[in-house]
Amino acid sequence: MKVLVPVKRVVDYNVKVRVKSDQTGVDIANVKMSMNPFDEIAVEEATRLKEKGSVAEVIAVSCGVAQCQETLRTAMAIGADRGVLVQTDAELQPLAVAKMLKALVDKEQPQLVILGKQAIDDDANQTGQMLAALLGWPQATFASKVELGEGQVTVTREVDGGLETLKLKLPAIVTTDLRLNEPRYVTLPNIMKAKKKPLETVTPQDLGVDPAPRLKTLKVTEPPARKAGIKVADVAALVDKLKNEAKVI
């Protein structure tokens, strides 16, 4: 069976994000970019399923600018067999990405799509759910354990009250949580092998999708600076400030 794994190129999680001076968005000029951590977990899980013999092929997909090829090469270094880049300079929002992924699913016919539950740049947490709706497939979000069976997948997912176990008929959509696995360290030999793996480039127009954004960002601002704390002499003074100044009790 095939597994499709969408991956997103985002600002590296170690980078302190800065807002542009004109407040039109986040400044990514000369900023280190990397694969979205949740998507890296998805690639690792698909690779482990392939190593167990449950999966025959892992296809990594990315939507965005030409530099997303680097993200796909990283996915292939982890274990994906080939990559597909939907290249566009347009601002991509979850619905447009979901439509492009649906077109690729119709073309590739995978039995399972594994993707990160959200991206760390917009924190939308929408693409997986939208893709499931467009395809009419069952979905399991926030997966902390995935087990493939005959024509089905069993997913343990994290909920507020603890853990919930779902059994889905294939084909299905699964989104990954942090505790699903720990991605492997990408070695230099695997990086070199990834350069020889096939990478196909298509456009949204090839897939019959209009990537134009449906939402307009009016302004992006940094959160206000946190005020310095103060010391109080005793508990009575603390209670007085909480009651009369902070008005929280």
Side-chain angles (χ1 to χ4, degrees):
M1 63 177 286
K2 288 183 185 179
V3 176
L4 194 74
V5 186
V7 295
K8 186 176 184 181
R9 179 177 181 263
V10 299
V11 175
D12 190 87
Y13 66 91
N14 287 313
V15 173
K16 179 176 172 56
V17 176
R18 300 189 181 278
V19 175
K20 292 180 180 178
S21 57
D22 59 3
Q23 298 185 328
T24 57
V26 173
D27 187 3
I28 59 172
N30 301 315
V31 170
K32 182 183 178 183
M33 307 292 283
S34 62
M35 187 190 303
N36 177 45
F38 290 103
D39 295 338
E40 193 173 359
I41 291 170
V43 177
E44 174 67 26
E45 190 64 23
T47 301
R48 292 186 185 188
L49 291 172
K50 188 180 74 169
E51 290 170 347
K52 289 178 183 177
S54 303
V55 170
E57 185 180 29
V58 177
I59 307 164
V61 177
S62 191
C63 305
V65 296
Q67 290 86 339
C68 291
Q69 291 185 25
E70 301 167 10
T71 308
L72 287 170
R73 292 295 180 193
T74 301
M76 288 187 278
I78 294 173
D81 297 291
R82 57 188 173 95
V84 179
L85 171 61
V86 184
Q87 187 172 332
T88 175
D89 292 328
E91 177 193 348
L92 293 178
Q93 294 176 351
L95 181 58
V97 174
K99 287 180 177 180
M100 288 187 278
L101 292 177
K102 178 187 181 298
L104 287 171
V105 167
D106 292 339
K107 177 184 176 183
E108 297 288 349
Q109 295 294 306
Q111 289 294 100
L112 185 64
V113 178
I114 307 178
L115 65 161
K117 69 173 185 177
Q118 65 194 75
I120 62 171
D121 51 2
D122 57 17
D123 277 330
N125 182 18
Q126 295 174 343
T127 305
Q129 292 89 327
M130 287 178 170
L131 179 59
L134 291 171
L135 289 168
W137 287 9
Q139 61 176 307
T141 56
F142 313 148
S144 59
K145 186 177 181 182
V146 176
E147 294 176 303
L148 273 179
E150 189 65 35
Q152 64 184 23
V153 58
T154 303
V155 177
T156 302
R157 62 187 300 268
E158 299 185 353
V159 295
D160 291 341
L163 298 176
E164 178 183 47
T165 302
L166 301 175
K167 188 173 288 185
L168 313 177
K169 288 184 179 180
L170 296 175
I173 307 289
V174 175
T175 71
T176 62
D177 210 340
L178 281 174
R179 279 156 289 281
L180 179 58
N181 61 53
E182 185 174 340
R184 69 194 67 189
Y185 176 77
V186 179
T187 61
L188 182 58
N190 285 335
I191 292 173
M192 300 307 292
K193 289 177 184 177
K195 292 182 178 180
K196 298 180 181 179
K197 291 182 179 180
L199 196 161
E200 179 186 0
T201 300
V202 297
T203 66
Q205 290 70 32
D206 295 335
L207 302 175
V209 177
D210 178 10
R214 303 294 187 91
L215 304 175
K216 181 180 179 181
T217 302
L218 300 179
K219 185 170 66 171
V220 178
T221 60
E222 292 188 12
R226 186 174 178 180
K227 294 181 180 178
I230 60 172
K231 291 183 178 180
V232 293
D234 50 36
V235 174
L238 174 62
V239 171
D240 178 67
K241 286 188 175 295
L242 290 174
K243 183 176 182 181
N244 299 315
E245 292 185 20
K247 298 188 185 298
V248 293
I249 58 173

